[in-house]
Amino acid sequence: MAAEIHSRPQSSRPVLLSKIEGHQDTVTAALLIPKEDGVITASEDRTIRVWLKRDSGQYWPSIYHTMASPCSAMAYHHDSRRIFVGQDNGAVMEFHVSEDFNKMNFIKTYPAHQNRVTAIIFSLATEWVISTGHDKCVSWMCTRSGNMLGRHFFSSWASCLQYDFDTQYAFVGDYSGQITLLKLEQSTCSVITTLKGHEGSIACLWWDPVQRLLFSGASDNSIIMWDIGGRKGRTLLLQGHHDKVQALCYLQLTRQLVSCSSDGGIAVWNMDVSREEAPQWLESDSCQKCEQPFFWNIKQMWDTKTLGLRQHHCRKCGQAVCGKCSSKRSSYPVMGFEFQVRVCDSCYDSIKDEDRTSLATFHEGKHNISHMSMDVARGLMVTCGTDRVVKIWDMTPVVGCSLATGFSPH
Ligand SMILES: [Zn+2]
Ligand SMILES: [Zn+2]
């Protein structure tokens, strides 16, 4: 079975199956309807639309619903046919969609936030709708009563959310670059820990409850894998995008991470190899190779009558080095550096050609991607963003053929 899962032709690319056009503004969320040739979209143009594939092969809206405020987030629960829509005005609205996807009934409005809703998760077990927003809080509300159960405030805008359904842990990413892990109770919550590592706002999170891995994507163009289950604080850095990382999806079976960035970049990371943690950057007043002082080290500059140098860091060993001692660049995929980064001369010499073999594949989505979701069972991906276009992709050429069992993309 393992051999089957791991066969992935590296030269293959995602195949664009369909393009859906019609929204008049940024499409903030697009979700594939399981087992249907259908997509639900939410847009800044204030509409929610359900698109079904017709005999012509084209997608046409079967539902077109206009809201009071731009739609900023969405969650869909297929078994109960519930759609939750977050809006720019802070409200979350719940709808029930009919079996044939031709009708959508309004259920209730939740006064979730004072400002733009950024993410929504629905938990059927607890009957909670959990959401984050630009009012700097995470709130959870009872779907039976519609009442607010609890909220927790952060120091900056809460931008994304993941939730562990078994343990009621919530992960909230924010604009300061922090991720907060909270345990939600019926009316209270406790902060378990905060995860700090990104140098830019957190744009997306993905929680894998089986391997207990958290992935975060940020405006610093990087991804961090937090090994929560390992309990040793192990983190892996993944640098391969050239723009803000906006969406993530981890595929348990094949141990691949799919990530999308603002510039349309789609990366598929092989997480089934042993990767190394990137080192902490060391601090020093002088180059740790040639011992020349850095420019703030006035005393040593005076003593040795030398001019201070700029400080740099070798990405592989973390040492503080001068420009002369780190003149070369190399990729180092095992540490997550898929493009060339600064390394010191001795690290450069230690990197062999085979160490530069990429551990990810990179593809072009050819449009802004601010949201992505996958139907893993069918190997399908849907992307959307500021260009108002929704694209449906067959990812089976890049994500391992075992996913495609019984699936025909046409
Ligand atoms: Zn030096
Ligand atoms: Zn080094």
Side-chain angles (χ1 to χ4, degrees):
M1 183 178 168
E4 226 176 82
I5 288 171
H6 297 155
S7 62
R8 54 178 85 93
Q10 290 293 305
S11 59
S12 308
R13 291 179 306 182
V15 178
L16 181 62
L17 298 176
S18 297
K19 251 165 98 170
I20 300 176
E21 290 168 288
H23 276 293
Q24 266 108 55
D25 205 337
T26 298
V27 184
T28 42
L31 303 169
L32 294 154
I33 302 171
K35 302 179 193 105
E36 294 276 342
D37 280 326
V39 179
I40 310 171
T41 56
S43 165
E44 296 281 350
D45 70 7
R46 300 194 289 126
T47 63
I48 295 290
R49 304 183 200 191
V50 178
W51 308 79
L52 297 179
K53 195 177 181 178
R54 305 298 155 134
D55 294 338
S56 64
Q58 295 282 92
Y59 283 82
W60 289 97
S62 63
I63 292 173
Y64 182 112
H65 184 90
T66 305
M67 313 276 282
S69 173
C71 306
S72 53
M74 179 171 59
Y76 171 61
H77 189 261
H78 187 61
D79 292 337
S80 63
R81 293 284 197 278
R82 286 149 104 167
I83 301 177
F84 296 87
V85 182
Q87 296 174 93
D88 194 57
N89 64 11
V92 170
M93 288 174 88
E94 181 185 343
F95 298 90
H96 183 265
V97 65
S98 64
E99 288 288 323
D100 61 3
F101 297 98
N102 281 316
K103 209 168 171 294
M104 193 167 90
N105 290 318
F106 169 74
I107 305 295
K108 58 168 83 78
T109 302
Y110 301 85
H113 297 276
Q114 305 296 321
N115 210 327
R116 189 177 174 87
V117 180
T118 51
I120 304 174
I121 284 176
F122 168 61
S123 164
L124 185 70
T126 48
E127 285 284 349
W128 287 355
V129 55
I130 312 162
S131 59
T132 51
H134 282 184
D135 57 356
K136 304 183 183 176
C137 87
V138 57
S139 63
W140 55 108
M141 293 148 292
C142 175
T143 51
R144 289 197 195 92
S145 66
N147 290 340
M148 176 81 68
L149 296 170
R151 23 166 59 173
H152 179 82
F153 284 87
F154 304 95
S155 57
S156 56
W157 286 356
S159 46
C160 47
L161 170 70
Q162 283 286 280
Y163 180 67
D164 186 80
F165 291 88
D166 289 339
T167 60
Q168 297 178 204
Y169 283 118
F171 300 91
V172 179
D174 68 38
Y175 268 66
S176 77
Q178 276 190 32
I179 301 159
T180 307
L181 170 54
L182 306 122
K183 165 106 173 144
L184 305 185
E185 309 282 359
Q186 194 59 30
S187 59
T188 59
C189 75
S190 41
V191 174
I192 307 298
T193 188
T194 53
L195 308 172
K196 294 172 194 171
H198 283 291
E199 282 161 32
S201 57
I202 312 290
C204 52
L205 290 172
W206 183 273
W207 169 243
D208 182 75
V210 174
Q211 288 163 41
R212 306 191 70 72
L213 301 172
L214 180 73
F215 296 90
S216 55
S219 62
D220 60 10
N221 304 353
S222 69
I223 298 163
I224 296 178
M225 187 201 91
W226 310 82
D227 184 2
I228 304 289
R231 295 177 181 276
K232 291 200 178 86
R234 195 172 120 89
T235 59
L236 296 178
L237 182 68
L238 303 173
Q239 285 189 346
H241 284 285
H242 296 279
D243 207 341
K244 193 173 171 179
V245 180
Q246 305 256 56
L248 295 166
C249 179
Y250 180 66
L251 312 174
Q252 267 167 23
L253 265 183
T254 56
R255 297 186 182 234
Q256 287 169 300
L257 177 73
V258 181
S259 59
C260 298
S261 52
S262 266
D263 58 357
I266 299 166
V268 180
W269 305 82
N270 179 359
M271 301 309 290
D272 199 23
V273 287
S274 64
R275 289 175 174 270
E276 291 171 25
E277 279 190 88
Q280 291 283 331
W281 285 4
L282 302 173
E283 291 307 322
S284 174
D285 285 334
S286 53
C287 172
Q288 293 182 298
K289 294 289 174 197
C290 70
E291 295 177 354
Q292 293 250 42
F294 292 130
F295 67 82
W296 60 84
N297 189 352
I298 309 290
K299 186 181 179 301
Q300 196 188 335
M301 276 165 65
W302 181 259
D303 291 347
T304 59
K305 304 282 182 285
T306 48
L307 220 62
L309 302 170
R310 268 197 69 188
Q311 188 193 49
H312 301 283
H313 285 96
C314 170
R315 300 301 189 272
K316 184 171 180 285
C317 68
Q319 286 196 334
V321 287
C322 73
K324 250 175 99 182
C325 295
S326 60
S327 60
K328 300 204 177 80
R329 305 286 177 270
S330 176
S331 64
Y332 196 53
V334 77
M335 228 173 237
F337 301 115
E338 286 288 338
F339 46 71
Q340 299 208 325
V341 289
R342 180 184 293 271
V343 286
C344 71
D345 291 351
S346 46
C347 281
Y348 184 84
D349 293 337
S350 75
I351 300 173
K352 299 185 218 65
D353 278 349
E354 60 261 36
D355 296 333
R356 295 193 180 93
T357 308
S358 179
L359 297 175
T361 59
F362 296 92
H363 313 281
E364 287 296 327
K366 292 185 180 151
H367 76 147
N368 168 266
I369 303 176
S370 50
H371 185 273
M372 167 273 279
S373 71
M374 287 188 75
D375 179 339
V376 178
R378 291 187 290 173
L380 292 177
M381 178 173 81
V382 59
T383 56
C384 60
T386 52
D387 66 349
R388 307 162 189 195
V389 178
V390 177
K391 292 186 178 181
I392 301 168
W393 304 86
D394 175 15
M395 290 296 282
T396 54
V398 278
V399 297
C401 55
S402 68
L403 292 177
T405 315
F407 164 66
S408 146
H410 303 291

